[in-house]
Amino acid sequence: MAASSAAMNANALRSKIDKLLHSPPSFPCRRGVLNLPSNAFTKRSSVCQRRFRGVGVVKSSATTAESEVARELATGAGEEGRILRVGVICGGPSAERGISLNSARSVIDHIQGDDLHVSCYYIDYNLKAYAISSAQVYSNTPADFDFKLESLAQGFQSLSEFVEHLATSVDIVFPVIHGRFGEDGGIQELLEKSNIPFVGTQSNECRTAFDKYDASLELDKQGFVTVPSFLVQGHALEETEALTWFTKNNLDVEQGKVVVKPARAGSSIGVTVAYGVTDSLRKANAIISEGIDDKVLIEIFLEGGREFTTIVLDVSSGFDCQPVALLPTEVELHSHSNVDSSEKDVIFNYRRKYLPTQQVAYHTPPRFPEDVIRNIREGASLLFQRLGLRDFARIDGWFLPPSAHTAYLTGNKFGHLESGTIVFTDINLISGMEQTSFLFQQASKVGFSHSNILRTVIQHACLRFPGFHQYSAVSSPSLRKKHSETNRTLAKHQDRQKVYVIFGGDTSERQVSLMSGTNVWLNLQAFDDLEVIPCLLAPRNGYSSSMDSDKMDLGVSSRAVWCLPYSIVLRHTTEEVLDACIEAIEPVRAALTSQLRSQVMNEIMEGLKKHNWFTGFDISDDLPKKYYLDQWIKQAKEEGATVFIAVHGGIGEDGTLQSMLEAEGVPHTGPGVIASKTCMDKVATSLSLQHLEADGVLTINKDVRTKEDLLKIPPLDIWHDLTSKLRSETVCVKPARDGCSTGVARLCCDGDLAVYIKVLESCLARIPPNSLSKAHGPIEMPVPTPELLIFEPFIETDEIIVSPQISSGNAHDLLWKGNSRWVEITVGVVGKRGSMKSLTPSITVKETGDILSLEEKFQGGTGINLTPPPLSIISNEALEKCKKHIELIANTLQLEGFSRIDAFVNVDSGEVLIIEVNTVPGMTPSTVLIHQALAEEPPMYPHRFFRTLLDLASHRSL
């Protein structure tokens, strides 16, 4: 996320926060707490049980959405003691608010239950608070979320009004705002002033720990090794002072390598490498001028060090502190020779932390000497205690082996060992809680599922607030989901239905496949009657793309499939999952992991066993198991399992895997062999639908060419021939048989075609941004390159522009001229063969370029999904006709289970111009299919949606 998107100057924002926090509250304090410390609570008065009544609601045209918010706000406000009401607050002014939305999704997915009700709230960039429905949290991106905010949320006139609402509507707040206002003590002080219980560290301690400069001073004071740093705040004498600092630390004033980072911008935002005094000050002042922060650190670059991070869990009985560090994770960074020059300095930046990349891998526990691991855990626990942290936190640092240069790390302090030096550098008060985050990776290594660790953190926070003894959820073994995961793995039941979720493969969409499979697996965990086993389809040879079925490797049945234990699934890339499997079965490594795991579990149990709400660990210490694909299928047959296919492209989508499963009578999700083969081949798809033109289903003219022919004929000659045959001056090129988005580009001239052909000839993995004549983002290419390519007219649609603000306030507006009357849609279809039902179509607004990238579609990068399409663009009548045409397409192609259809629609007639059909569509947490399922009446939440797809597969006739 570009740091420059932070439009508000750091000083102005901080002044606004201070004003909001320190102005007198405009509502009465609650009875019985005025003379108590801010972290002490008495029994709540009856006012706490009031239902939500008008809070200055922003008028909205989405009446149904408003009603859903109001229903959610009112739920759980009835009889005292029935349920624990948790208020999840996400968003915030930081550039990390997209990660905050992802964290909120995970929290909601894993804590909601009959005994615990979740209400959701959002703080926008201007610190305006909204009550939102939990359905809205599944919006794709911050831009998508913000665009829908005014019409789908109920706004508060002030933070004071927001806090007054929280005081009467929730029992405890779980802040998941990352960075500014979430981890700097802002939201915490707001809650403290009103005596509202919350999860996490108190405001004063947050302020010290969040500020990297202040935290370093405090760590030094507490006896920890720290890295020398220089503070930049934009004054005139800094160049002289910086020269002195460089010289003092034996750094070359021209080329001395340092890290420049904001002191108060959260995790990884704005962090960069610099060389020498001039470069360092230039980059520091750029951070200040861009409004990221007005306080910047220059630190010595830790050459030869190995980065780690560790989650610390408080297992005390309330006001005391008994921290236990989980198993640390080593962050291994890879520098590849073919990376951009901007990436030559390998640091653990924002993109590497949150998006799939082969430039980073994680090892839990770290590959450090045992005494180093022990001292990391001991030091992190000690730091947690001395800084007054609460409930949980993530602490980052570096291990410097004896060979590293550490002369500048002087003094007799904690961290100096014979094996090397341990340096703690960053403290994260609200660790990221995405599905594969460090919190869940490390918790699963010591026996906690996602649900169990989150509920343990919430329950522990409740201990600090005596008023909670009135709630049965706190004083009994409650806080368990209706579909509890406890002992699910440790005590397997024979009567549960086996489900194999398979993902991975070797196409360019393999990382999206991992995200999809992980999301499906975690959501299906919610059902007691299922035993869900995640499985990785390992790459065949390197990481190649799909190939023609007649050229498919004859040894497909010998492809490896790994059945994975819980903790190994939680990775960012398929390569990392495979490496973790191999590492886990290495005898010495497995023995060390088991030993460390037992040690940590004993420490946790020692603290938590006194609480009757802690029901124990629910993840066993299993090892991964490797099968050949044909063995794996036979195993599925013997166990009566259903296979949930989440392998995008390749053998997962071209009918190969479906054919092998059906040959053994194993039920699977999605269409069968014939439909899969047809839809994977975009030409065959068009041919199958050509006869439907009179029924309102249109197809696009196509010209198919081989890679060999493209390399032999001059690009100018090919271009003239293409534009003449297709009758179009602009052409779209795409692989004939590959998944969506891969290798798809808009060509506007013969020069663009020449660039594309050169990429094919050079077998490049991607086309760099803006390599073609019209602006575009990175275009992922199939590897190896496809042998057949399709050229078709580029369909011009009227641009839909999102206006950031309109005169009435912060709301966004749509600008659409509607000249061509065609817009692009994507829509899911669900059901049995012959009776497929169309979900509500979505119009996707592209923020940049003409072709949606993989990142835009699946990884929460950019993009706004309009679900349902606005009436200002398409009428209900035309939309219903569109849905009928989509259902006609689905049933003509013999689709079943579920698929996603991409098309253009005429907003007047509802006619549909087909683009492609994806029989294994993306199923990531932010996928548009989730939005469409939530638009159903009643809304279908992710776990129920995936269960519906599974049930359709289980009952299909093969």
Side-chain angles (χ1 to χ4, degrees), residues 332-409:
E332 182 186 15
L333 297 176
H334 302 289
S335 179
H336 299 295
S337 58
N338 60 346
V339 298
D340 297 338
S341 59
S342 60
E343 294 285 322
K344 67 178 181 178
D345 296 308
V346 182
I347 58 174
F348 193 37
N349 59 19
Y350 183 87
R351 181 176 183 84
R352 290 191 181 97
K353 187 170 289 186
Y354 295 118
L355 290 176
T357 170
Q358 292 184 58
Q359 291 183 310
V360 61
Y362 306 107
H363 305 274
T364 307
R367 299 165 304 172
F368 303 162
E370 282 189 61
D371 67 318
V372 173
I373 297 174
R374 182 175 63 253
N375 276 274
I376 287 173
R377 295 190 59 240
E378 180 186 337
S381 298
L382 190 62
L383 186 157
F384 187 98
Q385 187 172 46
R386 289 187 178 176
L387 292 187
L389 309 187
R390 291 290 181 266
D391 298 328
F392 77 117
R394 195 186 87 232
I395 298 171
D396 303 336
W398 290 78
F399 165 57
L400 302 164
S403 58
H405 174 64
T406 59
Y408 51 84
L409 301 176

Side-chain angles (χ1 to χ4, degrees), residues 13 69 157 213 264 298 374 416 475 507 617 727 861 897 919:
L13 179 59
V69 174
Q157 296 298 322
Y213 184 72
R264 299 167 299 193
I298 298 174
R374 182 175 63 253
H416 288 302
S475 58
T507 77
F617 303 101
R727 299 179 182 179
T919 54

Side-chain angles (χ1 to χ4, degrees), residues 452-525:
N452 199 3
I453 189 63
L454 288 171
R455 284 173 161 249
T456 296
V457 167
I458 292 170
Q459 183 63 71
H460 182 269
C462 290
L463 296 175
R464 295 198 304 280
F465 307 104
F468 280 111
H469 75 270
Q470 300 295 331
Y471 292 82
S472 61
V474 175
S475 58
S476 70
S478 188
L479 268 187
R480 294 177 219 150
K481 297 172 82 171
K482 179 180 179 181
H483 307 299
S484 172
E485 296 182 55
T486 304
N487 294 324
R488 182 176 293 173
T489 308
L490 300 175
K492 295 182 178 179
H493 301 293
Q494 296 300 319
D495 57 344
R496 288 190 293 148
Q497 179 188 348
K498 290 280 184 72
V499 180
Y500 287 173
V501 180
I502 187 167
F503 46 83
D506 46 19
T507 77
S508 53
E509 296 179 89
R510 63 191 180 277
Q511 314 307 3
V512 177
S513 172
L514 173 59
M515 296 166 69
S516 292
T518 301
N519 191 43
V520 170
W521 162 63
L522 286 172
N523 273 283
L524 290 179
Q525 295 268 339

Side-chain angles (χ1 to χ4, degrees), residues 538-670:
R540 174 181 41 212
N541 243 327
Y543 297 96
S544 59
S545 176
S546 59
M547 301 174 65
D548 298 359
S549 56
D550 59 342
K551 296 181 182 179
M552 185 62 68
D553 186 351
L554 295 176
V556 66
S557 63
S558 62
R559 294 280 297 274
V561 177
W562 291 80
C563 289
L564 307 172
Y566 197 112
S567 63
I568 286 182
V569 187
L570 306 179
R571 298 293 192 277
H572 290 86
T573 67
T574 54
E575 293 85 351
E576 193 189 340
V577 174
L578 184 57
D579 288 344
C581 287
I582 296 169
E583 186 177 277
I585 60 176
E586 196 278 317
V588 175
R589 178 72 174 170
L592 175 63
T593 300
S594 179
Q595 172 195 329
L596 293 173
R597 168 190 165 97
S598 297
Q599 181 181 333
V600 176
M601 291 175 74
N602 289 337
E603 293 174 20
I604 293 171
M605 184 58 77
E606 185 63 30
L608 295 181
K609 66 183 180 182
K610 61 180 75 74
H611 306 299
N612 60 6
W613 47 261
F614 182 63
T615 56
F617 303 101
D618 56 344
I619 300 297
S620 61
D621 188 17
D622 295 329
L623 293 176
K625 295 179 182 178
K626 182 181 178 181
Y627 297 87
Y628 290 118
L629 182 55
D630 55 355
Q631 292 175 333
W632 178 81
I633 292 173
K634 284 182 169 59
Q635 180 80 10
K637 179 179 181 179
E638 290 174 8
E639 295 184 339
T642 299
V643 173
F644 201 119
I645 300 176
V647 178
H648 301 313
I651 69 169
E653 204 163 352
D654 67 2
T656 302
L657 183 56
Q658 292 81 357
S659 176
M660 295 177 71
L661 290 167
E662 291 177 17
E664 293 290 340
V666 177
H668 62 82
T669 55

Side-chain angles (χ1 to χ4, degrees), residues 8 21 48 51 97 205 230 242 333 469 491 509 627-628 644 653 672 699 704 715 745 767 803 815 897 906 911 955:
M8 184 178 292
L21 291 177
C48 295
R51 290 175 181 259
R97 71 186 186 281
E205 289 77 8
F230 177 75
L333 297 176
H469 75 270
E509 296 179 89
Y627 297 87
Y628 290 118
F644 201 119
E653 204 163 352
T699 57
V704 182
I767 303 176
S803 174
L815 303 178
N906 185 291
E911 285 181 304
H955 300 135

Side-chain angles (χ1 to χ4, degrees), residues 263-280:
R264 299 167 299 193
S267 175
S268 307
I269 297 294
V271 181
T272 186
V273 173
Y275 293 86
V277 173
T278 302
D279 189 35
S280 301

Side-chain angles (χ1 to χ4, degrees), residues 767-784:
I767 303 176
N770 302 322
S771 298
L772 307 175
S773 59
K774 191 169 177 63
H776 64 86
I779 299 172
E780 297 289 333
M781 293 295 292
V783 180

Side-chain angles (χ1 to χ4, degrees), residues 26-45:
S26 60
F27 53 91
C29 290
R30 284 177 292 161
R31 184 158 44 92
V33 298
L34 290 176
N35 297 319
L36 294 174
S38 63
N39 58 1
F41 282 76
T42 60
K43 180 178 179 179
R44 297 188 165 219
S45 63

